[in-house]
């Protein structure tokens, strides 16, 4: 990313003659390797914490804004976010010259549609690559060679079924699905990591599968993945895990970090 190394000349127009006017050199600032914008749900309790760990690389900077959403996770509530996406995206300053912008809602991307999410975000950031957890999930499953998927969500049956149908249409075989059946996003963010790990093991043992995908940016999954993969012997990824990886790859960052899970060793 280009840097601006010009020297700023101090202004001498200030009336306060007791203030020292000091020179300053300008460098490239943060994000000299990649700058990433993330549109986070107003009710999300987890994603910023997980992305801070997953995207911790020299020269990579991540900037967040929030978009209004209802606490109750329903198809109609998710669809209402589409109209607000351009305004939310504009809160990420275009002057930052983003390498990628993500809309961080898996279920919202399913209900609104991945292409429509991209179009809405690109109203504020034309020509900038756009991703979301659903698109990232598909890219991650493909990169890991996963066809037969064990699928875990916190959602109600209608939202879970819509996502399952979307992945099936994309060519993935959902061999087993499990849900915590929660509609309150406040509760989703408080599902214990132990409950998530137990549920992943139940699903992986239920049917032969190539890997596991855990949906929802509010579920605390990223820190569980290395141990789950070691225990199950198959790849595991999640909305935040896949999204972080996809953002890096779209931004041209290909560092291998296998300690963060098999996916982060994939190109």
């Amino acid at each position: 990313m280009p840097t601006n190394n010009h020297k700023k000349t101090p202004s001498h127009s200030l009336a306060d003659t007791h203030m020292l006017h000091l020179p300053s050199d300008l460098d490239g600032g943060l994000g000299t390797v990649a700058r990433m914008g993330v549109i986070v749900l107003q009710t999300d309790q987890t994603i910023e914490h997980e992305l801070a760990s997953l995207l911790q690389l020299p020269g990579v900077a991540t900037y967040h804004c929030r978009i209004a959403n209802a606490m109750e996770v329903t198809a109609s509530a998710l669809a209402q976010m589409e109209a607000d996406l351009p305004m939310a995206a504009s809160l990420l300053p275009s002057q930052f010259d983003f390498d990628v912008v993500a809309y961080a809602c898996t279920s919202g991307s399913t209900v609104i549609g991945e292409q429509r999410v991209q179009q809405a975000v690109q109203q504020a950031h034309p020509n900038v690559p756009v991703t979301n957890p659903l698109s990232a999930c598909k890219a991650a499953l493909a990169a890991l060679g996963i066809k037969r998927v064990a699928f875990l969500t916190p959602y109600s049956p209608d939202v879970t079924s819509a996502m399952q149908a979307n992945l099936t249409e994309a060519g993935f075989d959902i061999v087993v699905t499990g849900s915590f059946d929660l509609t309150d996003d406040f509760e989703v963010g408080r599902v214990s990591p132990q409950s998530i790990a137990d549920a992943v093991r139940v699903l992986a043992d239920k049917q032969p599968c190539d890997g596991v995908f855990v949906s929802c940016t509010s579920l605390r999954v990223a820190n569980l993945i290395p141990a789950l993969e070691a225990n199950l012997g198959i790849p595991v990824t999640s909305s935040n895990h896949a999204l972080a990886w996809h953002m890096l790859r779209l931004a041209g960052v290909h560092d291998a970090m296998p300690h963060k899970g098999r996916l982060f060793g994939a190109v």
Side-chain angles (χ1 to χ4, degrees):
M1 182 169 293
T3 59
N4 184 355
N5 291 315
H6 74 273
K7 181 170 288 190
K8 185 177 179 181
T9 303
S11 169
H12 298 286
S13 62
L14 295 177
D16 186 358
T17 57
H18 298 291
M19 181 182 296
L20 293 177
H21 303 282
L22 303 172
S24 58
D25 290 328
L26 304 184
D27 62 16
L30 297 173
T32 52
V33 173
R35 294 190 183 110
M36 304 182 175
V38 186
I39 302 168
V40 178
L41 297 193
Q42 178 182 354
T43 59
D44 198 301
Q45 303 166 64
T46 304
I47 188 169
E48 288 152 321
H49 174 76
E50 293 202 333
L51 290 186
S53 172
L54 293 168
L55 297 175
Q56 191 174 31
L57 284 167
V60 174
T62 308
Y63 301 89
H64 306 88
C65 69
R66 294 228 167 196
I67 185 171
N69 71 294
M71 188 65 77
E72 185 177 10
V73 184
T74 64
S76 59
L78 292 167
Q80 290 176 5
M81 273 192 285
E82 182 178 4
D84 295 330
L85 266 173
M87 177 59 72
S90 72
L91 296 175
L92 297 167
S94 59
Q95 295 89 338
F96 285 15
D97 192 21
F98 287 103
D99 297 286
V100 63
V101 174
Y103 165 59
C105 183
T106 325
S107 51
S109 301
T110 303
V111 172
I112 297 168
E114 295 156 272
Q115 185 65 33
R116 292 171 71 92
V117 165
Q118 177 178 320
Q119 292 169 349
V121 172
Q122 286 184 334
Q123 288 184 41
H125 300 279
N127 304 316
V128 174
V130 175
T131 187
N132 61 78
L134 180 61
S135 297
C137 163
K138 294 173 183 177
L141 295 178
L144 290 166
I146 297 173
K147 283 293 186 180
R148 298 174 301 164
V149 184
F151 181 45
L152 175 62
T153 89
Y155 313 124
S156 60
D158 60 331
V159 175
T160 298
S161 296
M163 193 173 301
Q164 184 176 6
N166 188 296
L167 292 173
T168 300
E169 186 177 347
F172 300 100
D173 181 12
I174 310 301
V175 295
V176 60
T177 300
S179 172
F180 297 124
D181 196 9
L182 299 173
T183 59
D184 187 328
D185 214 26
F186 188 77
E187 293 180 351
V188 172
R190 282 161 170 71
V191 174
S192 72
Q194 187 62 56
S195 295
I196 297 168
D198 290 345
V200 167
R201 292 188 185 98
V202 167
L203 293 178
D205 289 342
K206 191 74 174 177
Q207 293 287 344
C209 61
D210 303 323
V212 182
F213 176 68
V214 183
S215 185
C216 190
T217 60
S218 270
L219 288 179
R220 291 170 284 169
V221 188
N223 288 340
L224 305 175
I225 286 173
L228 283 171
E229 289 184 333
N231 178 255
L232 299 173
I234 56 175
V236 178
T237 189
S238 69
S239 290
N240 293 341
H241 190 251
L243 184 64
W245 169 83
H246 201 220
M247 289 169 65
L248 287 169
R249 297 305 181 257
L250 289 175
V253 180
H254 296 278
D255 297 52
M257 297 179 286
H259 62 285
K260 296 183 179 180
R262 294 192 193 182
L263 177 61
F264 278 77
V267 176

